[in-house]
Amino acid sequence: MEINLNLRQLVLGAAAVCLVVLLAVVGRAVTPVAEGSPVVLTPERWEAAALARKAGAEIVRLEADGGALHAMVAADPPDAVQAMLLAQRIYAGQRTGTAATATARAALVDAAAAVARYAGGGLTRQAAIEAVNAALERIQALRGQAMNRIPTD
């Protein structure tokens, strides 16, 4: 009886086994677990998770833009050119997004316009503060945590 060992087939077999083990380890690490058991990701759950990630990224951008508006209206008097540039950047960045953040995006765009009008002298400071606070409340409702509000006079 003669045994032939082909080194090429042996290496290919070992590589296939390593690939299967690697896929199993990665799959175990990234599989979501609910109540102690793995959850099968159906296409609907996959899409829902993708939308949740997208909405989370939008909320982060909303918070950053809201913070910039907060700082702009807190400066007394704000720089009119910087306020206009900020309003244009917010409008351009918040035109599209998920339906979950639509009301907060609209409130933020309105607040940016109010701050720009206030900086240009076309609106009272109190009205701009109220618009920014309304936008921050909408963003806070999405995140579920407190954000700094501007005290009203």
Side-chain angles (χ1 to χ4, degrees), residues 46-123:
W46 188 272
E47 186 175 344
L51 286 174
R53 283 191 304 273
K54 186 175 180 182
E58 287 179 17
I59 292 169
V60 169
R61 281 197 324 267
L62 285 168
E63 288 174 337
D65 289 344
L69 275 179
H70 178 276
M72 181 65 68
V73 80
D76 194 27
D79 182 16
V81 173
Q82 291 297 323
M84 183 57 74
L85 290 174
L86 178 62
Q88 287 175 349
R89 182 180 60 82
I90 288 173
Y91 177 72
Q94 299 296 340
R95 283 190 301 185
T96 60
T98 61
T101 61
T103 57
R105 284 185 288 112
L108 191 66
V109 168
D110 292 343
V115 170
R117 286 194 332 228
Y118 160 63
L123 194 65

Side-chain angles (χ1 to χ4, degrees), residues 9 11 13 15 20 32 48 57 68 76 80 84-85 87 91 94 98 111 117 126 128 130 132 135 137 140 153:
Q9 288 179 344
V11 168
V20 168
D76 194 27
M84 183 57 74
L85 290 174
Y91 177 72
Q94 299 296 340
T98 61
R117 286 194 332 228
Q126 186 63 33
E130 289 172 1
V132 171
E137 286 175 1
Q140 173 187 351
D153 296 333

Side-chain angles (χ1 to χ4, degrees), residues 8 55 70 121 139 145:
R8 184 173 184 207
H70 178 276
I139 297 167
Q145 65 185 12

Side-chain angles (χ1 to χ4, degrees), residues 3 5 48 70 74 88 101 107 116 129 138 146 151:
I3 298 177
L5 293 177
H70 178 276
Q88 287 175 349
T101 61
I129 288 173
R138 298 278 177 130

